[in-house]
Amino acid sequence: MKKVQTVSVPFMVMGIVFCVCLVAANLLVTKVIQLGPFSVTAGILVFPISYILNDCIAEVWGFRKARLVIWMGFLMNFLVASLGLLAVHIPAAPYWEGEEAFNFVFSLVPIVALGSFVAFLAGSFVNAYVMSRMKIAHQGKHFSLRAILSTIAGESVDSLIFFPIALGSVLPMKEIMYIAMVQVVLKTMYEVLILPVTIRVVTYVKHLEGEEVYDDNISYNILKISEI
């Protein structure tokens, strides 16, 4: 008899919130906001939450379940972007006055959308991989260090992929690297500030699940989605 694969309610909830945060970040990125001396996209308000959830999922349930959630986040992002572009190309009702604003949000330049998708996948998987390997190396200790270093690694990869693709044709590389560095620093500071909450969530969920997952002898092939 084929074994039935199941997931817990906490894992399902975190996976759903993870996907929602990613979709929200891609919509919020269309607005540029001012945080002190820095001009950043509004996506920074929610995007770091996806890395915190990535840390929690990788820590509690391991790389294999993190891999599943990352791919689901990618697919949900792709679905929303595709539906948005489809809606843009469908003629609007003659009495509707919001077409210009709607099109501004959903008419993502294809190269920017591609950069966003590739950067998200690379950054998320690097984040989960670093969490997984460091947990084994430290025998489950030093969660705070793992969370911070995995975020730095993931955010760095994400920014170094996304910004050159998205802005390479309009800004010099020096400016692009500066913007990428600012994004990494701000998002890492976000992670550090909210770390006490992250620790409490992880501790609580581990207590609910009643287990401690270590990724011994697993495949880190990102395409093996069926292995959960």
Side-chain angles (χ1 to χ4, degrees):
M1 184 182 225
K2 185 178 179 180
K3 182 180 178 181
V4 178
Q5 295 178 326
T6 61
V7 295
S8 67
V9 172
F11 172 74
M12 181 179 68
V13 170
M14 281 197 177
I16 292 171
V17 177
F18 179 82
C19 293
V20 170
C21 285
L22 292 175
V23 172
N26 267 8
L27 296 177
L28 293 174
V29 78
T30 56
K31 179 174 182 178
V32 178
I33 61 175
Q34 193 73 26
L35 292 178
F38 304 110
S39 295
V40 295
T41 68
I44 199 171
L45 299 176
V46 66
F47 193 76
I49 298 175
S50 66
Y51 274 83
I52 293 168
L53 289 169
N54 192 334
D55 288 344
C56 292
I57 292 169
E59 173 70 16
V60 177
W61 294 284
F63 182 86
R64 288 178 293 187
K65 284 189 170 64
R67 175 172 54 202
L68 173 64
V69 171
I70 290 168
W71 276 113
M72 284 303 300
F74 172 82
L75 291 174
M76 294 304 100
N77 248 333
F78 184 80
L79 177 62
V80 171
S82 299
L83 291 174
L85 284 175
L86 178 61
V88 165
H89 288 91
I90 297 175
Y95 55 83
W96 189 56
E97 299 178 354
E99 184 170 16
E100 183 178 350
F102 182 91
N103 291 351
F104 177 78
V105 173
F106 285 99
S107 293
L108 294 175
V109 178
I111 191 65
V112 175
L114 175 63
S116 175
F117 290 148
V118 173
F120 157 69
L121 280 180
S124 295
F125 277 119
V126 166
N127 184 83
Y129 177 82
V130 172
M131 280 290 295
S132 173
R133 299 310 300 170
M134 287 187 68
K135 183 175 182 179
I136 295 173
H138 294 164
Q139 299 179 339
K141 301 175 182 177
H142 311 306
F143 170 76
S144 297
L145 179 64
R146 294 200 302 278
I148 293 171
L149 292 182
S150 65
T151 295
I152 292 174
E155 294 285 6
S156 297
V157 170
D158 185 291
S159 295
L160 289 174
I161 291 175
F162 174 72
F163 288 107
I165 293 176
L167 304 177
S169 61
V170 295
L171 289 177
M173 188 55 63
K174 182 179 179 180
E175 291 296 322
I176 291 173
M177 289 299 101
Y178 173 76
I179 293 172
M181 181 183 69
V182 169
Q183 291 277 330
V184 172
V185 171
L186 290 178
K187 290 177 181 178
T188 303
M189 288 173 60
Y190 190 116
E191 167 89 27
V192 172
L193 288 174
I194 205 170
L195 191 56
V197 176
T198 307
I199 293 172
R200 284 173 172 76
V201 171
V202 167
T203 302
Y204 178 70
V205 174
K206 282 183 178 179
H207 176 72
L208 283 181
E209 296 293 272
E211 61 178 345
E212 182 81 7
V213 175
Y214 289 85
D215 292 323
D216 295 310
N217 303 316
I218 71 161
S219 170
Y220 285 99
N221 184 340
I222 65 171
L223 298 178
K224 289 191 174 182
I225 308 172
S226 60
E227 293 184 3
I228 63 170

